[in-house]
Amino acid sequence: MKKWIAACIIIVPLLEWYVFLQMIDWIGGWNTLFLLIVTSLIGVVMMRFEGRKVLEDTRALIEANQPPGRKMLDGLCVFIGGIMLLLPGFVLDVVGFTLVFPLTRPLYRNILLKWIEKRMKKGSITIYRP
């Protein structure tokens, strides 16, 4: 896991810098800066809207005495996507939008479910029931 984090810390900024320079060449410096600001603002609005929706759906499931597992993973996806949208960069914005957007979020949720299931089988994640 530490190797993945180290790789992301090195690769993501280099990739973002490359894409940023390509965008400057393609649409110009001021337009690139404006686009970064606009995508961050749109991302904040989407994150707030989708976050509220996920919270309401989770509360409804809890009140109906149903487990909110998938909705909680949706909430995690919205949270991570929102952080990515706040950070400057086009690659992070694309991934952040797909995490926040409800039609593409199940792709990430399924990956998270498989990761959690794998960790539970290994015994590295333990669930305590009250």
Side-chain angles (χ1 to χ4, degrees), residues 60-112:
L61 285 172
I62 291 172
E63 289 173 3
N65 290 327
Q66 295 179 356
R70 292 190 188 275
K71 286 297 174 184
M72 291 182 76
L73 286 177
D74 280 349
L76 180 64
C77 288
V78 169
F79 177 73
I80 292 170
I83 290 173
M84 288 180 157
L85 288 167
L86 291 175
L87 295 172
F90 292 108
V91 176
L92 288 177
D93 283 349
V94 169
V95 175
F97 276 120
T98 59
L99 277 164
V100 172
F101 193 63
L103 295 176
T104 54
R105 194 180 317 137
L107 300 171
Y108 296 101
R109 184 180 61 219
N110 291 336
I111 292 170
L112 276 173

Side-chain angles (χ1 to χ4, degrees), residues 3 23 27 33 38 42 95 110 122:
K3 292 179 184 179
M23 289 299 289
I27 62 173
L33 183 62
V38 168
I42 291 171
V95 175
N110 291 336
K122 283 184 176 180

